[in-house]
Amino acid sequence: GHDTFGLRDALCARGLGVRVFAGSSALPRGAEGLDAAVRFLPHAPLVIYQQSTGWAEGARLLEGVQGRIVVRDHGITPSRFFSASDAALRNEVRAGETQRAALASDPRIAGFLATSPVVASELSELGAPPERIRIVPPFTRVEALADLAPDESTLRRFLSRPADVLFVGRIAPNKGQHRIQRVVARYAALFGEPLRVRLVGKADPRHGAYERLLRRERGELALEGRVQLLGEVGEAALKAIYLTSRVFLCCSEHEGFCVPLAEASWLGLPVVATHQTAVADTLGSQGFVLPPDTDDDLVAVALRRTLHDAALRERLVEAQRETVRWRFSRDPFERALGAALDGLGA
């Protein structure tokens, strides 16, 4: 949703009239329902379609479009990550994979706005002509988040007991919360120093098996009381949580981009990440991204150095913030979008 409205605002800034349509039963503010879309889309000169999991209604809507179609592609988490998840979710993701492949090879599509080089590579492998693919990182809230006052009650609650380790992302198998738990357990074993961990992100009942795995492993690893799951929180509370944390640890196994890395970087929180292509691209060449085959003990060592080496923390924070400033803040987003659409003749 943030990316959709970021696209809208950037296009409006170019003097274009923009309408947003969504299929949700609870429409976000500023969006219209599908009945309005049916009437409007045949007359729209340009339609930007946000590709996600399978959406049959969206595919039907595109059939009636007479103008140019551009697909905004964030990537799809492969269905293999959800083998133990709800069957309906697996089917939804597989349908998304099928629909994405169909769009990639559809000659009606004027272009693709990929959120990262890895997403662009996936589209090319699916059959999208490389000359129709442009990379436009997703719109991030970093500047708005920086200007926002943190939630006072959350700030008071956590100031006295900051999190040593923070991760922000939905509770899902590809997000790597299970590895974070293993790493902090190894940290305690290696250094005799238990860490306080906070995990922020929406819990989806369809990932119930994964949540049970996390809960069971917390017991087996003696982490009860050390790992706090905060669920989905508002932006003011999220900022307070970023400000009362010491290190952002990312062990994600699949990302199309990873917006929380940009948020943490902008707000001055050093990031340690295990290697995943989109994560490495987001953090840039100066980010603390560990080699692909780094084991849990070495991740724990990297975490300890970041927690205790003030000079390293300062270098990381400075490099991360500079990366976000020139690649992922509002101005470069608007420039990248404008150049991409101009290049695609859209």
Side-chain angles (χ1 to χ4, degrees):
H2 291 292
D3 185 61
T4 296
F5 289 107
L7 289 169
R8 179 200 63 186
D9 293 345
L11 292 171
C12 287
R14 288 167 63 91
L16 301 176
V18 182
R19 295 172 68 176
V20 176
F21 304 98
S24 171
S25 56
L27 289 174
R29 185 176 180 180
E32 304 173 61
L34 297 188
D35 289 344
V38 170
R39 295 190 297 271
F40 176 77
L41 291 184
H43 311 288
L46 172 65
V47 172
I48 298 178
Y49 181 76
Q50 286 272 12
Q51 167 62 32
S52 183
T53 51
W55 190 34
E57 290 172 308
R60 286 194 291 271
L61 285 170
L62 289 182
E63 291 175 0
V65 174
Q66 302 300 312
R68 297 173 72 80
I69 301 172
V70 170
V71 173
R72 176 57 154 165
D73 197 300
H74 296 255
I76 295 179
T77 304
S79 54
R80 68 177 184 273
F81 284 101
F82 306 136
S83 60
S85 299
D86 179 84
L89 175 61
R90 294 199 303 273
N91 292 337
E92 185 179 305
V93 173
R94 288 170 184 152
E97 292 172 330
T98 300
Q99 185 177 12
R100 187 188 190 206
L103 288 170
S105 58
D106 190 335
R108 298 178 305 150
I109 307 303
F112 300 84
L113 304 178
T115 53
S116 67
V118 68
V119 172
S121 177
E122 291 171 356
L123 286 169
S124 181
E125 290 174 3
L126 288 171
E131 66 273 13
R132 295 187 194 171
I133 303 172
R134 299 292 187 276
I135 297 172
V136 180
F139 175 76
T140 69
R141 306 167 291 170
V142 292
E143 288 140 317
L145 202 57
D147 293 338
L148 182 68
D151 180 72
E152 290 187 8
S153 63
T154 305
L155 200 59
R156 286 195 301 271
R157 179 183 171 195
F158 292 146
L159 266 176
S160 61
R161 293 171 62 82
D164 300 299
V165 173
L166 172 68
F167 178 71
V168 177
R170 71 184 187 281
I171 307 298
N174 63 297
K175 292 294 184 179
Q177 288 93 347
H178 57 288
R179 189 172 188 190
I180 291 175
Q181 292 187 164
R182 294 202 313 261
V183 167
V184 298
R186 291 303 304 152
Y187 189 103
L190 290 169
F191 305 115
E193 181 184 334
L195 298 177
R196 184 179 297 111
V197 182
R198 292 196 179 112
L199 303 177
V200 177
K202 183 177 181 179
D204 188 331
R206 298 177 297 179
H207 293 308
Y210 184 61
E211 291 185 61
R212 290 190 293 274
L213 169 68
L214 293 176
R215 187 163 53 247
R216 183 175 69 251
E217 287 192 345
R218 284 195 295 276
E220 295 170 351
L221 298 170
L223 293 176
E224 294 295 350
R226 308 301 307 178
V227 179
Q228 188 175 15
L229 280 75
L230 300 180
E232 190 174 23
V233 301
E235 290 193 356
L238 178 62
K239 181 171 182 179
I241 293 165
Y242 277 127
L243 295 179
T244 55
S245 302
R246 299 177 63 199
V247 172
F248 191 101
L249 176 60
C250 178
C251 295
S252 184
E253 296 177 30
H254 182 274
E255 296 284 352
F257 182 77
C258 197
V259 168
L261 294 178
E263 295 173 347
S265 297
W266 192 256
L267 293 176
L269 187 60
V271 176
V272 175
T274 55
H275 188 276
Q276 197 275 331
T277 304
V279 168
D281 178 72
T282 302
L283 287 174
S285 60
Q286 301 302 310
F288 200 165
V289 182
L290 300 166
D293 297 325
T294 303
D295 64 22
D296 292 345
D297 282 8
L298 287 179
V299 179
V301 170
L303 188 58
R304 180 173 175 81
R305 186 179 172 202
T306 308
L307 284 166
H308 293 281
D309 186 335
L312 172 63
R313 292 172 62 85
E314 185 176 343
R315 289 198 302 272
L316 285 175
V317 167
E318 182 179 352
Q320 292 170 185
R321 188 176 283 135
E322 188 61 21
T323 294
V324 175
R325 179 180 292 110
W326 69 268
R327 292 181 65 200
F328 307 131
S329 58
R330 179 179 292 275
D331 285 348
F333 169 78
E334 292 183 351
R335 287 196 298 270
L337 177 62
L341 293 178
D342 291 343
L344 294 170

